[in-house]
Amino acid sequence: MSVAEQRGRKPRADVQRNRAALLETAQRHFLQHGVGTSLEAVAKEAGVGPGTLYRHFPTREALLAAVLQTRSEELVARQADIEQLGDPAEALEQWLRAMEEYLSAYSGLPDPLMAAARAQEPDNPLTIPCDTLIATTDQYVRAAQLAGRVRSSVRGNDLFLAACSVAWIKGTGTEEESLDRLRTLIASGYRQQDTQA
């Protein structure tokens, strides 16, 4: 946080422009080249020096977290639609698909997110988006468990990691038919089995 922001003053216009240009350029580079793209190339295309980039975003994770925040509106909109579903198991399934799409937006994105979720490092900027996704997933899991549709042992973190895995596999160019089989296999692992035969 800059001194001006700490004192409650609005950042200068050029500082805001630089930040916006960096976010827009980084999003484009992440889409084209994946999350491992050259940060120097991002800075150059945004029309700033590497020092300016690192003042705004000290690490790749900080830049990635900021870009993900700008993309979160799509996921929030999907969640609003999912909330309208009357079936908690269907809502969970739809949430997992929405999260999978969000996590596969950029090549290589699942790797740093899974690392952040596992490490739980408070200073890693990706920990907050992961915690938010895991907490939301846990809400859907608990609702489906209360309805008797999901095993009691399942946790939101489990299905977050499963969605990350599917997103990672999707990024390798795997055919949709194979992904659907994988999704079915994962669902058979978390769904509550019908004990009445």
Side-chain angles (χ1 to χ4, degrees):
M1 181 179 285
S2 72
V3 174
E5 289 171 316
Q6 289 173 352
R7 292 183 182 154
R9 291 189 311 211
K10 190 173 180 180
R12 294 185 337 233
D14 62 327
V15 172
Q16 291 177 323
R17 269 194 312 275
N18 287 344
R19 181 179 171 82
L22 284 165
L23 286 172
E24 183 181 321
T25 305
Q27 179 163 301
R28 193 167 46 255
H29 274 251
F30 289 155
L31 282 169
Q32 293 171 353
H33 310 291
V35 298
T37 192
S38 163
L39 296 187
E40 286 72 20
V42 169
K44 184 176 181 181
E45 189 179 317
V48 301
T52 299
L53 183 145
Y54 290 114
R55 268 193 302 281
H56 285 280
F57 308 104
T59 63
R60 180 179 301 274
E61 290 80 11
L63 178 59
L64 184 54
V67 169
L68 287 174
Q69 181 61 41
T70 65
R71 288 188 54 92
S72 64
E73 291 86 15
E74 288 176 36
L75 192 59
V76 169
R78 289 281 302 274
Q79 187 178 359
D81 290 340
I82 292 168
E83 296 291 338
Q84 303 303 313
L85 297 173
D87 179 354
E90 176 66 19
L92 174 60
E93 189 173 319
Q94 291 298 317
W95 169 250
L96 293 176
R97 287 300 290 266
M99 194 166 48
E100 176 194 314
E101 289 170 22
Y102 177 76
L103 297 169
S104 61
Y106 309 122
S107 176
L109 178 58
D111 290 317
L113 291 177
M114 285 191 286
R118 282 193 311 268
Q120 287 297 300
E121 300 165 345
D123 59 339
N124 184 336
L126 292 174
T127 299
I128 292 173
C130 288
D131 286 349
T132 301
L133 291 171
I134 291 167
T136 303
T137 305
D138 210 42
Q139 290 172 0
Y140 286 111
V141 167
R142 282 189 308 231
Q145 286 170 333
L146 285 172
R149 304 288 299 281
V150 168
R151 296 173 192 263
S152 61
S153 60
V154 176
R155 300 290 173 262
N157 188 61
D158 303 331
L159 296 186
F160 168 77
L161 292 174
C164 281
S165 300
V166 174
W168 184 86
I169 293 167
K170 187 176 185 178
T172 66
T174 302
E175 293 180 5
E176 193 62 31
E177 184 178 334
S178 294
L179 291 171
D180 283 339
R181 284 197 299 272
L182 178 59
R183 291 178 190 113
T184 300
L185 183 62
I186 291 169
S188 69
Y190 70 75
R191 286 186 185 134
Q192 181 65 46
Q193 300 301 315
D194 188 359
T195 56
Q196 298 177 352

